Amino acid sequence: MKFLLQCTAITLFISCMPTKKKVVIAHRSASGYLPEHTLEATAMAHSWDVDFIEPDIVMTKDNELVILHDHHLDTTTNVAEIYPERMREDGRYYAIDFKLQELKKLSVNERIDLRTKKPIFPGRFELTKSSFQIPTLREFIELVQGLNKTTGRNVGIYPEIKKPEFHLKHGKDITKHTIETLREYGYEDSGQIYIQSFWPSTLIRLKKEFKTKIPLVQLIASDDWGESSADYSEMLTDNGLKKIATYAKGIGPWSHQLFSINNKNLEPNNLVEKAHSYGLVVHPYTHRLDSLPDGVTNKQFLDFMFEELEVDGIFSDFADRVLDYLD
Ligand code: CA
């Protein structure tokens, strides 16, 4: 865990008081350096001794939980090459249409733009180099727990339950499967976990139906992304935050919901302050060295987040650099 030291010169002496610890979350593992969510990227993130590593979870046809950011397969794997006949009418390939053993035959690559077939982040891992697989949630957890044992570290996990509405529509209760698996691995009382979701009903079910004590984080999208049927603009209001505080420990807003950009200057709004007033922690997504706001340096961005806005933690594709900054 990292602490920020706040030092103030008071007349004749300097006092240094530790402020609240900041939470560093390796977003999709070490995704700035290796294809996202792979076990290789997870081992790398673990080596930095981050607070948490994030697995995004989707379900397969045979009810296995796998680590993928999208419920589609075509932006991060070679599915179109291996199973061309499995494309749906909308031109996409869905993880839910495949059994685990079929998914294991795919090779994971750096994320591409489907239209151009070019990498979204050109400076990242070479598209055609090496070989990576889609991990299951169990493989992910066993790697993190195994490394915790051998290194003596205490790295936690920050799973996101992806597209619960979509899964339910296809007869898959991803929320139930996820909480059962997490409990099986001892996460219910571990203090080494947050669970996040964009869909409020999932978090409310976890609290009320499954009676979990795991801290829950309500992710907040922009309404125009079509992420779920939830009203995200409402979540940014006082009423919305008050409602979230009845079932969640915190919010995970899109970082751009915390500021406006005026002439290359970041100007804060009061969302973090408002969330804090309802007792919610704020963990925005996503810090990316290769996608900082125009004209803003890494240090300026992190200064703004941690010192001006006083966020409680951050999701980062380059979590090592956030740890360096906090040190
Ligand atoms: Ca995520």
Side-chain angles (χ1 to χ4, degrees):
M1 296 286 186
K2 300 291 164 187
F3 294 82
L4 274 186
L5 283 180
Q6 197 170 56
C7 302
T8 21
I10 305 173
T11 327
L12 294 172
F13 63 92
I14 294 175
S15 73
C16 289
M17 294 287 289
T19 58
K20 264 194 284 179
K21 64 192 173 226
K22 303 293 181 182
V23 170
V24 181
I25 308 142
H27 182 247
R28 308 182 204 168
S29 297
S31 58
Y33 302 93
L34 282 161
E36 63 185 40
H37 285 316
T38 56
L39 291 181
E40 290 82 352
T42 300
M44 186 175 192
H46 191 284
S47 75
W48 302 330
D49 199 8
V50 287
D51 298 309
F52 296 95
I53 304 177
E54 185 210 28
D56 288 324
I57 303 171
V58 305
M59 258 176 110
T60 65
K61 192 176 184 177
D62 50 348
N63 298 327
E64 296 287 344
L65 299 168
V66 290
I67 311 302
L68 279 169
H69 176 263
D70 306 331
H71 59 309
H72 299 123
L73 292 159
D74 31 15
T75 47
T76 55
T77 75
N78 61 345
V79 65
E81 192 188 315
I82 307 295
Y83 300 109
E85 74 290 354
R86 306 282 287 275
M87 186 174 76
R88 284 202 196 179
E89 268 176 18
D90 63 1
R92 305 300 304 269
Y93 297 82
Y94 290 74
I96 210 168
D97 294 339
F98 292 82
K99 290 185 174 171
L100 177 62
Q101 284 319 309
E102 294 174 317
L103 292 182
K104 283 291 185 187
K105 296 193 177 106
L106 300 181
S107 169
V108 177
N109 51 254
E110 215 9 86
R111 173 169 293 274
I112 56 161
D113 178 314
L114 268 190
R115 195 177 43 85
T116 63
K117 311 286 182 217
K118 296 252 165 59
I120 300 274
F121 300 102
R124 296 195 183 183
F125 202 84
E126 199 66 48
L127 268 187
T128 52
K129 294 277 195 274
S130 198
S131 155
F132 305 93
Q133 270 193 347
I134 297 172
T136 63
L137 177 60
R138 288 177 186 281
E139 288 165 337
F140 169 87
I141 290 174
E142 288 174 14
L143 177 64
V144 171
Q145 293 189 343
L147 285 170
N148 278 345
K149 178 173 180 236
T150 51
T151 61
R153 289 181 180 146
N154 196 24
V155 173
I157 66 171
Y158 205 126
E160 178 186 349
I161 301 177
K162 301 296 289 192
K163 299 274 179 192
E165 276 177 304
F166 168 86
H167 282 95
L168 273 181
K169 215 174 92 191
H170 287 74
K172 308 274 186 207
D173 192 348
I174 188 171
T175 305
K176 180 171 178 282
H177 281 268
T178 301
I179 187 71
E180 282 172 356
T181 305
L182 294 173
R183 281 178 167 161
E184 193 186 313
Y185 282 95
Y187 280 104
E188 179 62 45
D189 300 304
S190 68
Q192 286 180 305
I193 183 169
Y194 282 88
I195 299 178
Q196 35 159 351
S197 185
F198 278 106
W199 204 38
S201 306
T202 275
L203 301 177
I204 293 167
R205 272 187 77 201
L206 284 169
K207 189 176 167 75
K208 302 237 163 104
E209 183 184 332
F210 297 99
K211 303 201 183 325
T212 187
K213 296 191 283 293
I214 294 175
L216 306 173
V217 168
Q218 175 65 60
L219 296 173
I220 306 180
S222 176
D223 282 328
D224 56 8
W225 298 347
E227 180 60 47
S228 81
S229 60
D231 181 349
Y232 295 106
S233 304
E234 152 81 9
M235 288 185 192
L236 300 172
T237 65
D238 273 285
N239 261 345
L241 292 165
K242 204 168 152 184
K243 211 184 291 175
I244 291 170
T246 63
Y247 60 85
K249 168 86 180 158
I251 57 168
W254 180 34
S255 61
H256 288 256
Q257 289 165 327
L258 305 179
F259 57 81
S260 51
I261 304 174
N262 188 6
N263 200 18
K264 298 191 177 175
N265 283 315
L266 302 178
E267 294 182 349
N269 59 37
N270 64 352
L271 181 62
V272 177
E273 210 181 310
K274 272 197 300 188
H276 283 166
S277 76
Y278 292 104
L280 293 163
V281 298
V282 182
H283 298 164
Y285 60 92
T286 306
H287 166 254
R288 291 185 167 112
L289 290 183
D290 43 9
S291 184
L292 288 164
D294 193 28
V296 176
T297 67
N298 185 46
K299 178 162 186 323
Q300 284 167 340
F301 184 79
L302 294 174
D303 277 346
F304 177 75
M305 283 289 161
F306 288 115
E307 292 187 11
E308 191 159 346
L309 293 179
E310 297 187 20
V311 300
D312 306 283
I314 201 162
F315 288 89
S316 175
D317 287 4
F318 297 86
D320 58 329
R321 298 291 296 273
V322 182
L323 293 168
D324 287 349
Y325 167 84
L326 291 173
D327 274 344

